[in-house]
Amino acid sequence: MDIPRIFTITESAHRIHNPFTPEKLATLGAALRQAPATRVLDLGSGSGEMLCTWARDHGIRGTGIDMSPLFTGQAKLRADELGVSDRVEFIHGDAADYVADEKAGVAACIGATWIGGGVAGTIELLAKSLCTGGLILIGEPYWRQRPPTEDVAKGCLAASISDYLALPLLLASFGDLGYDVVEMVLADQDGWDRYEAAKWLTMRRWLAANPDDDFAREVREQLNSEPVRYATYTREYLGWGVFALMKR
């Protein structure tokens, strides 16, 4: 069980696998006003930066589930590095059907709503692990400005314009599902730069170290095209944020 190899190469040096800076992640952790020992479930936990830093800074206890053995291993090392391995655990597994044995005060899926077939299905899945009055966290893209054509949307790596909503419509959609939006922290272009541009150096160094790898051609093609594609499309049109929801 693993995610596609291109991600384990391009994001192997990332601690945060979304367009959030450490400062934005800290802002979100503080904004939620979490009591010490709050249990946090993170589906698609990546390299564990959210749970590890929140355990250090806010005393939460957490469980993260991720399909990547590389990222899960990195998360465990990060927990050891920050001295919080007694408060967080990371499980290599499929988060798409994971329901916690012990209800959580915060249930999160940050940037991986494909696990539930979209936002609505992911919220429904997270709710199964949430205690009464708890918070659901959803990390999701939105259109900063509507693409003028379907080709521009595809340049943002969306299948079509309909894949994402404008921010007001995204916020309204949570209400349509029966949830109040009680907090949000939005990525900025610096966060996007740190997420996307950091991949380019990782790819270049991987190519230097693995010139004969069967995957090298695909990595080289992506390195050739990604800087211009990103600057032309994603950076201009696509937003991203984390939204805190409570059941009405």
Side-chain angles (χ1 to χ4, degrees):
M1 182 185 300
D2 203 349
I3 60 176
R5 190 182 181 198
I6 190 65
F7 296 108
T8 62
I9 292 173
T10 61
E11 299 189 28
S12 59
H14 283 51
R15 282 185 173 166
I16 302 172
H17 300 278
N18 292 299
F20 249 20
T21 61
E23 293 77 15
K24 290 282 187 179
L25 193 59
T27 295
L28 177 64
L32 299 180
R33 310 172 205 170
Q34 301 169 95
T38 295
R39 182 164 293 278
V40 180
L41 174 67
D42 187 8
L43 301 186
S45 50
S47 296
E49 191 71 0
M50 185 177 82
L51 290 182
C52 289
T53 56
W54 288 5
R56 177 196 63 193
D57 298 339
H58 304 289
I60 63 97
R61 305 184 69 83
T63 299
I65 317 295
D66 200 272
M67 287 182 66
S68 168
L70 172 64
F71 296 161
T72 302
Q74 290 176 338
K76 293 175 180 178
L77 291 173
R78 185 62 167 156
D80 290 340
E81 179 184 0
L82 297 185
V84 296
S85 56
D86 60 330
R87 296 199 290 276
V88 295
E89 65 171 337
F90 295 98
I91 300 168
H92 172 231
D94 187 355
D97 58 359
Y98 186 88
V99 177
D101 294 331
E102 183 177 352
K103 299 291 187 181
V106 178
C109 181
I110 308 299
T113 56
W114 51 267
I115 68 172
V119 170
T122 301
I123 290 175
E124 183 179 358
L125 173 63
L126 291 170
K128 295 177 181 178
S129 298
L130 193 67
C131 66
T132 302
L135 291 169
I136 285 178
L137 300 183
I138 291 289
E140 184 70 3
Y142 60 89
W143 293 123
R144 292 180 61 237
Q145 51 179 319
R146 181 181 171 86
T149 67
E150 292 291 348
D151 284 343
V152 171
K154 290 175 181 177
C156 298
L157 304 183
S160 70
I161 294 173
S162 63
D163 276 8
Y164 306 127
L165 300 171
L167 181 58
L169 294 176
L170 178 58
L171 295 172
S173 74
F174 296 132
D176 293 340
L177 294 171
Y179 285 84
D180 289 322
V181 181
V182 297
E183 256 294 359
M184 71 177 186
V185 178
L186 304 181
D188 56 22
Q189 287 184 313
D190 182 58
W192 273 110
D193 291 347
R194 292 302 83 236
Y195 175 55
E196 294 289 350
K199 299 176 187 177
W200 309 336
L201 179 58
T202 300
M203 284 191 280
R204 185 64 179 82
R205 287 180 170 169
W206 185 91
L207 286 167
N210 300 276
D212 300 321
D213 193 287
D214 291 342
F215 209 62
R217 180 176 179 179
E218 182 170 338
V219 174
R220 165 46 66 187
E221 289 175 351
Q222 186 152 324
L223 179 57
N224 287 350
S225 62
E226 273 299 284
V228 173
R229 184 209 62 78
Y230 164 66
T232 303
Y233 298 110
T234 300
R235 196 175 194 271
E236 295 304 310
Y237 290 93
L238 200 60
W240 192 88
V242 180
F243 307 91
L245 314 175
M246 293 183 71
K247 186 71 174 176
R248 287 177 176 169

